[in-house]
Amino acid sequence: MKRLQILFFSFLLISTQKAQDSTNAEMKIYRGIATHINDLAHTRLDVSFDYSKSWLYGKAWITLHPHFYPTDSLTLDAKGMDLKEVSLIRGSQRQPLKYSYNGLQIRIRLDKTYRYTENYTVFIDYISKPNELKVQGSEAIKDAKGLYFINPLGKEKDKPTQIWTQGETESNSCWFPTIDKMDQKCTEEITMTVPAKYQTLSNGKLVSQVSHNDGTRTDSWKMDMPHSPYLFFMGIGDFAVVKDSYKGKEVSYYVEKEYAPVARRIFGYTPEMMAFYSRILGIEYPWVKYSQMTGRDYISGAMENTTATLHTSALQQDARQLADGNKYEDYVAHELFHQWFGDLATAESWSNLTLNESFANFSEMLWAEYKHGKDAAGATNYHDVEKYLADPSNPSKDLVRFYYDDRESMFDMVSYSKGGRILNMLKNYVGDSAFFKALNLYLTTYKFRNAEAQDLRRVFEEVTGKDLNWFWNQWYFGSGHPVFDITYQYNDTTKKALVLVRQTQQTGKIFRIPLAIDVYEGGKKTRRQVWLENETDSFSFPYTKRPDLIRVDGDNVVLCQKEDHKTLENFVYQYKNAGLYLDRREAIEYCAAHQDEARALDLMKTALKDPYFDLRSLTISSLNFEKPNVKTVFEPLLYDIASHDPERTVQARAIEALGSYKKEQYKDFFITKTRDSSYSVAGNALGALSLIDGPISQFKDAGATVDVQQEKALDITALHKAASSDSAASN
Ligand SMILES: [Zn+2]
C-alpha cells in the first residue's frame, strides 16, 4: 500500500490525538496473531449492487476446516451486514445453522464437531450497507468501510460512477463474511452482476461474461492460487482497458476513457518492471495476470490487491503533466513488488508489516537504479531518509512493534522509508548476490504462507552463514538511528590521519555499524572497512601526502544524521571525485552555506551542470540572490539553463529564479515559455511575467497566445499547483 503523503500526515494528527486519548493500558495490549480455530480454504461470492441505496446484495459460500483442534463452531468477521440466511451446504441442500450476530462477527454453531481433515462449506445470504456502517463508537471505521460507491446516482457532474473496494487493513469483511486476518489464505471466485456498460476487475482471471436482457452483465473472476482476504478486490466503472503483456500474461491498465491515449506513458514500464523484478528475485511473476486501475476519491495512494492494483486517480496525468515526467512511476514499481512481498509471501501480522512495506519501498530504489542509474537510486535513498526524519516521533519506534494503539499506525515512515533503508544497509553488508539469494529463499519458503521478521533473519543466516541477531535486534526490534559527529586530525610530522566518529544520539544506545572509510590520497582511493561499536571510535591511517579527502561511509548507505567536519577543499574534492549522489549533494549544501567564498561559488557553477537534474534544481534553489555578486555572476548561467536544460523541471526552476530579477529584457523569453508543453515551465514563466507586469490579465495584451489548454495554465491556481507539484515531486 502506498499512502498519500497528505493523508499520511492528517492521519498522524488523528492518531496522535487518539494516542493521547487512549489509556496506557491500551498501549500494553500485545498484538500477536489471532488464534487459528478454523482456516479458510475457498471463498465463492455472488454479488450485485443497488446503486440507489449504495448496497451490495451478496451470497457467500465459504469453505473452511478446523486449524488443528476439532471444533463445532465458527466465527466469521462480517461488519455491519443484514443477514438473511446462514446455513450449511449438504450436497444440493442447505441446512440452517444456529448463529448469533453482533454487527461485527457471526458466531455459528456447526452441525457437528469437525476435524482438521474435514472441509465444510457455510452459505450466507446478506446485504452490505457500507454507508450505514455504525460500529460501536469507532471513529476510524468511517474511513474503513471496505466498499465504496463513487457518485452512485450520477448526480455529481464530471465525476464517473464507480465502485471499488479497499481491504487493507481489515475492511474487506465489510463486504463479505470471512476470517479477516492477513495470515488466512484461500482461493477465490467472484461473480458480479453489473450494468452492461461497465468494465469489471477482480483478482485472477476473467472466466466468463454473460449478458442479460435487462441491460446487465454477469462477470465471473477466478483466483485459483491462495491469497489473504485483505487482498480481495472488486473495481467497476466506465473504464478504457489498455492492454499490454508480459511473457504471454495479460497486463492491463484501467483508466477513465480520456486517459486511454496516455495510459502507456503512465503505466508502460510495467512489463519491463515485471521482467526486472522476476530476474533479480529468481522467481517469475507468480500470478495469472496483472492489472492496474485508477479509482476516483480513493482513500489511499495505491493498494496491491493480488493481480489487481488500485491507484489514486492522481496517476491520470495528461500529456502536458507528463512533460514534467511521470510523478507516479514509484507507485507502479512499489505495488508491483508487493505482488511478491505482501501477496505471495505475506507478513503474519500488522506488527510485522515491514515484511510487506519495507520491501515495496526498497523496490522503488532498485527500479530507480536499474532504469535511471545510480544517481536516481541515491536520490530515492536520500529523500526516503528525509521522510523518516520528518516526523520527530519516528526515531522512538521499533520497526517491528508488538504493542500499538491502532494497527493503522503501523503504516508510517518507519515501516516504509526506514525499513527500506535498513534493507539497503543489509544488502550492502551481505553483498548483492547473497541478498538476492536470501530473498529468493524467503519467497520460495514462504510463498502462499505468512512470515515474521525472525523468519527473514533465518533465511539470511542460512544463505550467508553469519549470525545476524545483532542486526535484527538493532534495526528490526530496536528504534532510532545513530547521530555522528565526525572529526579529522592530520599530523604532517608523523604522517598520520586520525578519524574520530562520535555517536551523539541521546538515547543511551550505541549502534554497531560496519563502515567503509575511503581515503583519497594523490588521486588514488583506498578503502578501509571498519566497525563502529563504541560511543567514540577512532581510526588512524598513515599517509605520504596529506589526503585530499577522507570519506566516511563511502557507499552512502548508513541511515544516520551527522555533523561531518570537513573543509571546503574536502567538499569540493568530494563533489568531483567521490561521485555518488549524496557525495555531490553534501558538497552543494556546504557550498550553499558558504556563498561568500569564491571557491564555493565556483563549485556551485559546476553543479549547475551536474549530470543529475535533481542536483541542478537544488543548486538553483540554493543561490542567495541577496548577495549582489551571486546575482550578477549567475544571471547568464540561469538564462542558459532556463533556455536549454534537458529537464523541464530544471528549466522551470531557472525561470523562477530569473523571474526574481524582474527585468524587462526577459519578457519576450518568458512569453515564449508560457507556450511550453510543460505546466511547470509555462506556470513559472507566467509567475515570472507577473513579477514584471503585475496582474495576470495583462499577459494576453502582452502578446501571449492563449489556447484552451493554456487557459488552464493562466489560472493562478493551476500555476501554483504546477510549481508546488514540481517541488513535491523532488521530495
Ligand atoms: Zn505498500
Side-chain angles (χ1 to χ4, degrees):
M1 188 176 201
K2 188 114 175 140
R3 296 208 181 239
L4 288 176
Q5 212 63 331
I6 191 163
L7 278 175
F8 170 69
F9 284 118
S10 61
F11 165 75
L12 265 185
L13 290 177
I14 297 163
S15 64
T16 311
Q17 186 62 43
K18 278 190 72 177
Q20 282 162 359
D21 295 345
S22 65
T23 62
N24 281 342
E26 222 178 333
M27 294 293 285
K28 293 263 185 309
I29 299 172
Y30 171 73
R31 312 283 183 176
I33 56 165
T35 306
H36 286 236
I37 298 167
N38 290 282
D39 284 336
L40 295 169
H42 185 67
T43 299
R44 180 183 148 207
L45 303 174
D46 186 346
V47 303
S48 60
F49 305 93
D50 186 333
Y51 283 81
S52 68
K53 295 189 174 117
S54 290
W55 288 1
L56 171 151
Y57 300 107
K59 291 183 172 63
W61 292 258
I62 303 162
T63 304
L64 310 100
H65 56 78
H67 178 75
F68 183 77
Y69 301 106
T71 185
D72 64 355
S73 57
L74 165 68
T75 300
L76 292 173
D77 299 299
K79 298 184 181 115
M81 293 177 184
D82 283 359
L83 301 180
K84 293 199 281 186
E85 181 182 336
V86 176
S87 52
L88 185 83
I89 298 291
R90 275 182 176 280
S92 59
Q93 304 294 308
R94 298 205 299 255
Q95 175 189 334
L97 292 170
K98 288 200 170 116
Y99 68 94
S100 66
Y101 181 51
N102 64 3
L104 287 175
Q105 289 186 314
I106 316 171
R107 291 171 195 281
I108 302 167
R109 174 57 54 94
L110 299 170
D111 62 322
K112 61 165 194 162
T113 296
Y114 286 83
R115 297 172 59 80
Y116 72 87
T117 48
E118 292 174 280
N119 275 0
Y120 60 87
T121 301
V122 292
F123 169 80
I124 299 173
D125 191 349
Y126 64 97
I127 304 175
S128 267
K129 303 176 175 179
N131 294 342
E132 294 158 48
L133 206 58
K134 281 194 193 69
V135 184
Q136 301 161 346
S138 166
E139 283 297 309
I141 202 77
K142 283 181 188 156
D143 291 325
K145 54 188 182 181
L147 172 66
Y148 294 76
F149 286 81
I150 306 303
N151 194 18
L153 306 176
K155 283 184 175 167
E156 290 175 77
K157 239 183 121 233
D158 302 326
K159 186 183 278 186
T161 296
Q162 297 177 349
I163 293 173
W164 46 258
T165 63
Q166 168 60 34
E168 195 168 39
T169 48
E170 294 171 10
S171 301
N172 271 346
S173 47
C174 299
W175 61 275
F176 65 92
T178 188
I179 300 174
D180 204 351
K181 295 293 171 195
M182 64 201 303
D183 60 351
Q184 289 284 338
K185 295 205 172 194
C186 68
T187 49
E188 167 207 352
E189 284 167 275
I190 299 186
T191 293
M192 42 185 139
T193 301
V194 300
K197 61 185 172 181
Y198 293 146
Q199 303 286 343
T200 70
L201 176 64
S202 187
N203 315 98
K205 206 178 170 66
L206 178 63
V207 288
S208 73
Q209 292 192 299
V210 179
S211 295
H212 310 293
N213 291 332
D214 62 355
T216 63
R217 193 185 70 243
T218 300
D219 288 0
S220 297
W221 292 83
K222 188 170 184 180
M223 177 76 181
D224 54 12
M225 296 204 268
H227 66 146
S228 303
Y230 77 97
L231 298 165
F232 283 31
F233 174 76
M234 296 187 298
I236 299 148
D238 189 15
F239 293 100
V241 185
V242 177
K243 298 218 170 162
D244 225 328
S245 75
Y246 168 70
K247 291 197 172 171
K249 290 179 178 176
E250 179 186 319
V251 175
S252 50
Y253 318 126
Y254 287 61
V255 292
E256 290 168 36
K257 284 179 173 156
E258 60 176 299
Y259 292 94
V262 287
R264 277 171 196 277
R265 287 178 64 187
I266 299 166
F267 297 106
Y269 282 141
T270 304
E272 190 180 347
M273 286 176 182
M274 294 168 87
F276 170 61
Y277 289 152
S278 296
R279 181 170 59 75
I280 59 172
L281 295 171
I283 294 181
E284 265 304 329
Y285 175 77
W287 312 103
V288 66
K289 67 125 182 355
Y290 187 57
S291 300
Q292 294 170 86
M293 175 180 268
T294 58
R296 281 291 185 107
D297 297 349
Y298 185 40
I299 52 163
S300 186
M303 179 64 209
E304 68 272 19
N305 313 297
T306 318
T307 78
T309 285
L310 179 65
H311 290 281
T312 160
S313 58
L315 260 79
Q316 296 183 144
Q317 304 149 91
D318 63 28
R320 289 194 71 187
Q321 287 172 297
L322 287 164
D324 288 334
N326 180 2
K327 294 188 170 67
Y328 296 92
E329 193 177 308
D330 56 339
Y331 279 51
V332 178
H334 179 114
E335 303 309 323
L336 175 61
F337 207 67
H338 267 313
Q339 301 295 317
W340 287 266
F341 286 88
D343 298 1
L344 184 62
T346 311
E348 69 157 26
S349 66
W350 305 115
S351 302
N352 283 282
L353 184 64
T354 177
L355 292 179
N356 293 7
E357 294 303 346
S358 303
F359 281 101
N361 174 281
F362 186 50
S363 76
E364 297 168 32
M365 186 178 167
L366 293 172
W367 168 256
E369 177 160 10
Y370 162 80
K371 186 67 191 173
H372 306 292
K374 266 190 179 325
D375 285 342
T380 305
N381 196 53
Y382 170 82
H383 292 301
D384 265 308
V385 172
E386 294 294 293
K387 283 181 203 164
Y388 157 67
L389 293 173
D391 178 351
S393 73
N394 282 341
S396 63
K397 297 178 196 164
D398 296 349
L399 182 59
V400 177
R401 268 162 274 164
F402 287 104
Y403 296 88
Y404 52 74
D405 184 26
D406 183 338
R407 60 179 178 261
E408 303 289 337
S409 71
M410 289 302 297
F411 292 82
D412 62 7
M413 290 300 129
V414 177
S415 295
Y416 285 72
S417 298
K418 186 187 182 189
R421 311 302 43 86
I422 290 169
L423 290 171
N424 191 36
M425 287 188 284
L426 182 63
K427 173 168 163 286
N428 186 264
Y429 174 58
V430 302
D432 283 11
S433 58
F435 182 81
F436 290 112
K437 190 169 181 199
L439 297 197
N440 178 281
L441 180 59
Y442 171 81
L443 290 169
T444 309
T445 309
Y446 295 101
K447 65 181 174 189
F448 308 119
R449 294 172 60 199
N450 298 77
E452 60 169 330
Q454 297 288 22
D455 297 321
L456 186 69
R457 176 181 59 81
R458 292 282 296 115
V459 299
F460 269 90
E461 290 185 342
E462 192 172 328
V463 168
T464 62
K466 294 172 191 270
D467 186 298
L468 291 167
N469 273 303
W470 68 272
F471 188 94
W472 257 254
N473 289 341
Q474 178 167 288
W475 293 114
Y476 281 81
F477 304 107
S479 63
H481 58 272
V483 181
F484 296 131
D485 186 86
I486 307 169
T487 52
Y488 308 85
Q489 294 167 12
Y490 298 94
N491 187 329
D492 289 337
T493 313
T494 60
K495 302 278 187 196
K496 272 197 174 148
L498 192 68
V499 180
L500 288 160
V501 184
R502 209 154 58 82
Q503 298 195 29
T504 62
Q505 62 275 11
Q506 299 298 310
T507 53
K509 172 179 171 181
I510 297 300
F511 282 80
R512 184 169 186 231
I513 309 277
L515 192 69
I517 300 183
D518 293 339
V519 181
Y520 291 81
E521 185 187 339
K524 209 176 125 230
K525 176 176 96 173
T526 312
R527 171 160 292 191
R528 271 39 178 230
Q529 202 65 51
V530 300
W531 284 87
L532 299 180
E533 39 205 349
N534 301 294
E535 190 171 335
T536 303
D537 288 290
S538 63
F539 309 98
S540 151
F541 309 109
Y543 61 81
T544 323
K545 186 172 163 274
R546 183 188 276 229
D548 298 299
L549 170 70
I550 296 179
R551 177 57 163 146
V552 172
D553 186 20
D555 291 331
N556 299 182
V557 290
V558 180
L559 173 64
C560 66
Q561 288 174 291
K562 64 184 172 187
E563 280 285 333
D564 199 341
H565 300 278
K566 281 184 283 217
T567 63
L568 174 57
E569 285 74 18
N570 290 154
F571 276 115
V572 170
Y573 191 91
Q574 178 172 308
Y575 181 92
K576 292 178 177 163
N577 297 280
L580 295 177
Y581 172 89
L582 191 64
D583 297 324
R584 307 203 310 276
R585 185 176 184 104
E586 285 176 6
I588 294 167
E589 285 171 348
Y590 184 88
C591 292
H594 294 83
Q595 294 185 43
D596 287 327
E597 302 202 38
R599 283 163 307 165
L601 288 184
D602 281 345
L603 183 101
M604 292 186 76
K605 277 188 223 162
T606 308
L608 284 178
K609 302 250 182 242
D610 192 280
Y612 195 59
F613 73 97
D614 185 25
L615 294 180
R616 298 198 297 278
S617 277
L618 171 72
T619 308
I620 297 168
S621 307
S622 307
L623 291 170
N624 182 356
F625 295 121
E626 306 279 298
K627 296 184 187 295
N629 66 319
V630 173
K631 212 169 164 179
T632 315
V633 169
F634 282 87
E635 186 178 346
L637 303 174
L638 288 171
Y639 180 73
D640 187 49
I641 293 170
S643 313
H644 302 302
D645 195 280
E647 199 72 34
R648 295 299 230 290
T649 54
V650 181
Q651 278 189 25
R653 196 60 65 90
I655 288 167
E656 186 187 27
L658 206 58
S660 72
Y661 287 72
K662 300 181 189 172
K663 284 192 172 174
E664 282 281 325
Q665 70 188 79
Y666 296 124
K667 213 167 143 177
D668 288 345
F669 172 68
F670 291 146
I671 288 169
T672 311
K673 286 293 182 184
T674 61
R675 298 180 198 116
D676 197 274
S677 60
S678 145
Y679 279 130
S680 64
V681 168
N684 284 2
L686 280 165
L689 278 172
S690 78
L691 292 175
I692 303 168
D693 268 2
I696 275 177
S697 58
Q698 293 181 20
F699 297 149
K700 293 183 189 177
D701 306 334
T705 316
V706 180
D707 61 20
V708 179
Q709 276 299 311
Q710 281 178 317
E711 285 285 3
K712 232 172 162 179
L714 277 171
D715 181 328
I716 198 83
T717 328
L719 186 156
H720 282 157
K721 221 170 100 189
S724 66
S725 67
D726 167 33
S727 59
S730 62
N731 284 330

